[in-house]
Short mmCIF file of all heavy atoms in Angstrom, two decimals:
data_model
loop_
_atom_site.label_atom_id
_atom_site.label_comp_id
_atom_site.label_asym_id
_atom_site.label_seq_id
_atom_site.Cartn_x
_atom_site.Cartn_y
_atom_site.Cartn_z
N THR A 1 145.27 117.54 160.63
CA THR A 1 146.28 117.42 159.58
C THR A 1 147.07 116.16 159.86
O THR A 1 147.55 115.95 160.97
CB THR A 1 147.22 118.64 159.60
OG1 THR A 1 146.44 119.82 159.43
CG2 THR A 1 148.25 118.56 158.49
N VAL A 2 147.19 115.30 158.85
CA VAL A 2 147.95 114.06 158.99
C VAL A 2 149.05 114.07 157.93
O VAL A 2 148.77 114.15 156.74
CB VAL A 2 147.06 112.81 158.82
CG1 VAL A 2 147.90 111.54 158.91
CG2 VAL A 2 145.96 112.79 159.87
N ASN A 3 150.28 114.05 158.41
CA ASN A 3 151.45 114.08 157.53
C ASN A 3 151.40 115.23 156.53
O ASN A 3 151.74 115.08 155.37
CB ASN A 3 151.62 112.72 156.82
CG ASN A 3 151.90 111.62 157.80
OD1 ASN A 3 152.43 111.84 158.88
ND2 ASN A 3 151.53 110.40 157.43
N GLY A 4 150.92 116.38 157.03
CA GLY A 4 150.90 117.59 156.22
C GLY A 4 149.66 117.79 155.37
O GLY A 4 149.51 118.83 154.74
N ALA A 5 148.76 116.84 155.33
CA ALA A 5 147.55 116.95 154.52
C ALA A 5 146.31 117.10 155.41
O ALA A 5 146.18 116.42 156.42
CB ALA A 5 147.39 115.72 153.63
N ALA A 6 145.42 118.00 155.02
CA ALA A 6 144.17 118.16 155.76
C ALA A 6 143.32 116.91 155.57
O ALA A 6 143.18 116.41 154.45
CB ALA A 6 143.43 119.39 155.27
N VAL A 7 142.77 116.41 156.66
CA VAL A 7 141.99 115.18 156.64
C VAL A 7 140.69 115.40 157.41
O VAL A 7 140.68 116.07 158.44
CB VAL A 7 142.79 114.01 157.29
CG1 VAL A 7 141.95 112.77 157.39
CG2 VAL A 7 144.06 113.74 156.53
N THR A 8 139.62 114.83 156.89
CA THR A 8 138.34 114.82 157.59
C THR A 8 137.96 113.37 157.85
O THR A 8 137.95 112.56 156.92
CB THR A 8 137.24 115.50 156.76
OG1 THR A 8 137.63 116.85 156.50
CG2 THR A 8 135.91 115.48 157.48
N PHE A 9 137.68 113.06 159.10
CA PHE A 9 137.24 111.72 159.48
C PHE A 9 135.75 111.75 159.77
O PHE A 9 135.27 112.65 160.46
CB PHE A 9 137.97 111.24 160.75
CG PHE A 9 139.43 110.96 160.56
CD1 PHE A 9 140.37 111.88 160.96
CD2 PHE A 9 139.85 109.77 159.99
CE1 PHE A 9 141.72 111.63 160.81
CE2 PHE A 9 141.20 109.50 159.82
CZ PHE A 9 142.14 110.43 160.23
N GLU A 10 135.03 110.80 159.24
CA GLU A 10 133.60 110.63 159.52
C GLU A 10 133.43 109.47 160.50
O GLU A 10 132.81 108.47 160.19
CB GLU A 10 132.84 110.37 158.22
CG GLU A 10 132.94 111.48 157.20
CD GLU A 10 132.27 112.77 157.65
OE1 GLU A 10 131.30 112.70 158.45
OE2 GLU A 10 132.73 113.84 157.22
N LEU A 11 134.05 109.62 161.66
CA LEU A 11 134.03 108.59 162.69
C LEU A 11 133.65 109.23 164.02
O LEU A 11 133.87 110.42 164.22
CB LEU A 11 135.42 107.95 162.83
CG LEU A 11 135.96 107.19 161.62
CD1 LEU A 11 137.44 106.89 161.80
CD2 LEU A 11 135.17 105.91 161.43
N PRO A 12 133.14 108.44 164.95
CA PRO A 12 132.84 108.98 166.28
C PRO A 12 134.12 109.51 166.94
O PRO A 12 135.21 108.95 166.77
CB PRO A 12 132.29 107.78 167.05
CG PRO A 12 131.84 106.82 166.00
CD PRO A 12 132.74 107.03 164.82
N GLU A 13 133.99 110.58 167.70
CA GLU A 13 135.14 111.21 168.36
C GLU A 13 135.85 110.30 169.33
O GLU A 13 137.03 110.49 169.60
CB GLU A 13 134.70 112.49 169.07
CG GLU A 13 134.39 113.62 168.13
CD GLU A 13 134.18 114.93 168.86
OE1 GLU A 13 134.36 114.99 170.10
OE2 GLU A 13 133.86 115.91 168.18
N GLU A 14 135.17 109.31 169.87
CA GLU A 14 135.80 108.43 170.87
C GLU A 14 136.64 107.31 170.25
O GLU A 14 137.34 106.59 170.96
CB GLU A 14 134.76 107.84 171.83
CG GLU A 14 133.74 106.95 171.17
CD GLU A 14 132.52 107.68 170.61
OE1 GLU A 14 132.47 108.92 170.63
OE2 GLU A 14 131.61 106.99 170.15
N VAL A 15 136.62 107.17 168.94
CA VAL A 15 137.44 106.15 168.28
C VAL A 15 138.91 106.47 168.54
O VAL A 15 139.33 107.62 168.39
CB VAL A 15 137.16 106.13 166.77
CG1 VAL A 15 138.19 105.31 166.01
CG2 VAL A 15 135.76 105.61 166.51
N PRO A 16 139.72 105.48 168.94
CA PRO A 16 141.15 105.75 169.13
C PRO A 16 141.80 106.18 167.81
O PRO A 16 141.50 105.64 166.75
CB PRO A 16 141.71 104.41 169.61
CG PRO A 16 140.54 103.71 170.23
CD PRO A 16 139.36 104.12 169.39
N LEU A 17 142.67 107.15 167.90
CA LEU A 17 143.32 107.70 166.71
C LEU A 17 144.01 106.61 165.89
O LEU A 17 143.99 106.64 164.66
CB LEU A 17 144.32 108.79 167.11
CG LEU A 17 145.07 109.45 165.96
CD1 LEU A 17 144.12 110.13 164.99
CD2 LEU A 17 146.09 110.43 166.51
N ILE A 18 144.62 105.64 166.55
CA ILE A 18 145.32 104.59 165.82
C ILE A 18 144.40 103.88 164.83
O ILE A 18 144.80 103.56 163.71
CB ILE A 18 146.00 103.57 166.76
CG1 ILE A 18 146.89 102.63 165.93
CG2 ILE A 18 144.99 102.80 167.59
CD1 ILE A 18 147.80 101.76 166.76
N HIS A 19 143.16 103.66 165.20
CA HIS A 19 142.22 102.96 164.31
C HIS A 19 141.83 103.86 163.14
O HIS A 19 141.69 103.38 162.01
CB HIS A 19 141.00 102.48 165.08
CG HIS A 19 141.34 101.47 166.12
ND1 HIS A 19 142.02 100.30 165.84
CD2 HIS A 19 141.11 101.46 167.45
CE1 HIS A 19 142.19 99.61 166.96
NE2 HIS A 19 141.65 100.30 167.95
N ALA A 20 141.69 105.15 163.38
CA ALA A 20 141.39 106.08 162.29
C ALA A 20 142.55 106.13 161.31
O ALA A 20 142.34 106.17 160.09
CB ALA A 20 141.09 107.46 162.86
N LEU A 21 143.78 106.13 161.81
CA LEU A 21 144.96 106.17 160.94
C LEU A 21 145.10 104.89 160.14
O LEU A 21 145.30 104.92 158.92
CB LEU A 21 146.23 106.41 161.77
CG LEU A 21 146.32 107.75 162.48
CD1 LEU A 21 147.51 107.76 163.44
CD2 LEU A 21 146.42 108.89 161.48
N ARG A 22 144.99 103.77 160.81
CA ARG A 22 145.20 102.47 160.13
C ARG A 22 144.02 102.10 159.25
O ARG A 22 144.18 101.80 158.08
CB ARG A 22 145.46 101.38 161.17
CG ARG A 22 146.81 101.53 161.89
CD ARG A 22 147.02 100.45 162.94
NE ARG A 22 146.97 99.12 162.38
CZ ARG A 22 148.00 98.51 161.78
NH1 ARG A 22 149.16 99.13 161.68
NH2 ARG A 22 147.87 97.28 161.31
N ASP A 23 142.82 102.13 159.82
CA ASP A 23 141.64 101.67 159.09
C ASP A 23 141.08 102.73 158.15
O ASP A 23 140.59 102.40 157.08
CB ASP A 23 140.55 101.21 160.07
CG ASP A 23 141.02 100.11 160.99
OD1 ASP A 23 141.97 99.39 160.64
OD2 ASP A 23 140.45 99.98 162.09
N GLY A 24 141.15 103.99 158.57
CA GLY A 24 140.58 105.06 157.75
C GLY A 24 141.51 105.58 156.67
O GLY A 24 141.07 105.94 155.59
N LEU A 25 142.81 105.62 156.96
CA LEU A 25 143.76 106.20 156.01
C LEU A 25 144.75 105.18 155.44
O LEU A 25 145.55 105.52 154.57
CB LEU A 25 144.54 107.35 156.66
CG LEU A 25 143.72 108.54 157.13
CD1 LEU A 25 144.63 109.58 157.79
CD2 LEU A 25 142.95 109.16 155.98
N GLY A 26 144.75 103.97 155.95
CA GLY A 26 145.68 102.96 155.45
C GLY A 26 147.12 103.23 155.83
O GLY A 26 148.04 102.78 155.15
N LEU A 27 147.35 103.95 156.93
CA LEU A 27 148.69 104.22 157.43
C LEU A 27 149.05 103.14 158.44
O LEU A 27 148.84 103.28 159.64
CB LEU A 27 148.77 105.63 158.04
CG LEU A 27 148.51 106.76 157.04
CD1 LEU A 27 148.39 108.10 157.76
CD2 LEU A 27 149.59 106.79 155.98
N PHE A 28 149.60 102.05 157.94
CA PHE A 28 149.84 100.87 158.76
C PHE A 28 151.17 100.88 159.49
O PHE A 28 151.48 99.96 160.23
CB PHE A 28 149.73 99.61 157.90
CG PHE A 28 148.36 99.44 157.30
CD1 PHE A 28 148.18 99.56 155.94
CD2 PHE A 28 147.28 99.20 158.11
CE1 PHE A 28 146.91 99.42 155.38
CE2 PHE A 28 146.01 99.07 157.57
CZ PHE A 28 145.83 99.17 156.20
N GLY A 29 151.99 101.92 159.31
CA GLY A 29 153.26 102.01 160.02
C GLY A 29 153.08 102.18 161.51
O GLY A 29 153.90 101.75 162.31
N THR A 30 152.00 102.82 161.91
CA THR A 30 151.67 102.96 163.33
C THR A 30 151.10 101.63 163.77
O THR A 30 150.07 101.19 163.29
CB THR A 30 150.65 104.10 163.53
OG1 THR A 30 151.20 105.30 163.00
CG2 THR A 30 150.34 104.30 165.01
N ARG A 31 151.80 100.98 164.68
CA ARG A 31 151.45 99.61 165.08
C ARG A 31 150.58 99.59 166.32
O ARG A 31 150.75 100.40 167.22
CB ARG A 31 152.71 98.79 165.37
CG ARG A 31 153.76 98.82 164.33
CD ARG A 31 153.31 98.11 163.07
NE ARG A 31 154.28 98.31 162.02
CZ ARG A 31 155.09 97.38 161.57
NH1 ARG A 31 155.02 96.17 162.06
NH2 ARG A 31 155.96 97.65 160.64
N PHE A 32 149.68 98.64 166.37
CA PHE A 32 148.91 98.40 167.59
C PHE A 32 149.65 97.35 168.40
O PHE A 32 149.91 96.26 167.92
CB PHE A 32 147.49 97.93 167.30
CG PHE A 32 146.67 97.80 168.55
CD1 PHE A 32 146.05 98.90 169.09
CD2 PHE A 32 146.56 96.58 169.19
CE1 PHE A 32 145.31 98.79 170.27
CE2 PHE A 32 145.83 96.46 170.37
CZ PHE A 32 145.20 97.57 170.90
N GLY A 33 150.01 97.72 169.63
CA GLY A 33 150.73 96.79 170.49
C GLY A 33 149.86 96.37 171.66
O GLY A 33 149.09 95.43 171.59
N CYS A 34 149.96 97.14 172.73
CA CYS A 34 149.30 96.75 173.98
C CYS A 34 147.92 97.40 174.15
O CYS A 34 147.10 96.90 174.90
CB CYS A 34 150.18 97.12 175.15
SG CYS A 34 150.41 98.91 175.34
N GLY A 35 147.71 98.56 173.54
CA GLY A 35 146.45 99.27 173.72
C GLY A 35 146.35 99.99 175.05
O GLY A 35 145.27 100.45 175.43
N ALA A 36 147.47 100.10 175.77
CA ALA A 36 147.44 100.71 177.10
C ALA A 36 148.61 101.68 177.34
O ALA A 36 149.00 101.91 178.48
CB ALA A 36 147.46 99.62 178.17
N GLU A 37 149.19 102.21 176.26
CA GLU A 37 150.30 103.16 176.34
C GLU A 37 151.53 102.59 177.04
O GLU A 37 152.31 103.32 177.64
CB GLU A 37 149.88 104.45 177.06
CG GLU A 37 148.84 105.25 176.35
CD GLU A 37 148.55 106.58 177.02
OE1 GLU A 37 149.31 107.01 177.92
OE2 GLU A 37 147.54 107.20 176.64
N GLN A 38 151.73 101.29 176.97
CA GLN A 38 152.84 100.67 177.68
C GLN A 38 153.97 100.17 176.79
O GLN A 38 155.02 99.80 177.30
CB GLN A 38 152.32 99.49 178.52
CG GLN A 38 151.32 99.89 179.56
CD GLN A 38 151.88 100.85 180.59
OE1 GLN A 38 152.90 100.58 181.21
NE2 GLN A 38 151.24 101.99 180.76
N CYS A 39 153.78 100.15 175.46
CA CYS A 39 154.81 99.54 174.60
C CYS A 39 155.45 100.50 173.60
O CYS A 39 156.54 100.24 173.13
CB CYS A 39 154.23 98.33 173.87
SG CYS A 39 153.06 98.74 172.57
N GLY A 40 154.78 101.58 173.23
CA GLY A 40 155.35 102.55 172.31
C GLY A 40 155.19 102.23 170.84
O GLY A 40 155.58 103.02 169.99
#
């Protein structure tokens, strides 16, 4: 569930969630920073 809506992704399970949100759903508010959990 993303923002209250049921969502199905047709992507490999190992894809980082941020890419599924941004590229798959167009939710660009979640920013890609460091890629290492260091910036928030």
Side-chain angles (χ1 to χ4, degrees):
T1 302
V2 177
N3 296 334
V7 175
T8 301
F9 291 101
E10 299 294 331
L11 296 167
E13 288 189 4
E14 63 273 5
V15 168
L17 180 61
I18 189 169
H19 297 305
L21 295 171
R22 291 178 59 83
D23 302 336
L25 298 179
L27 297 171
F28 298 112
T30 303
R31 309 292 172 108
F32 185 83
C34 66
E37 295 185 13
Q38 299 298 306
C39 71

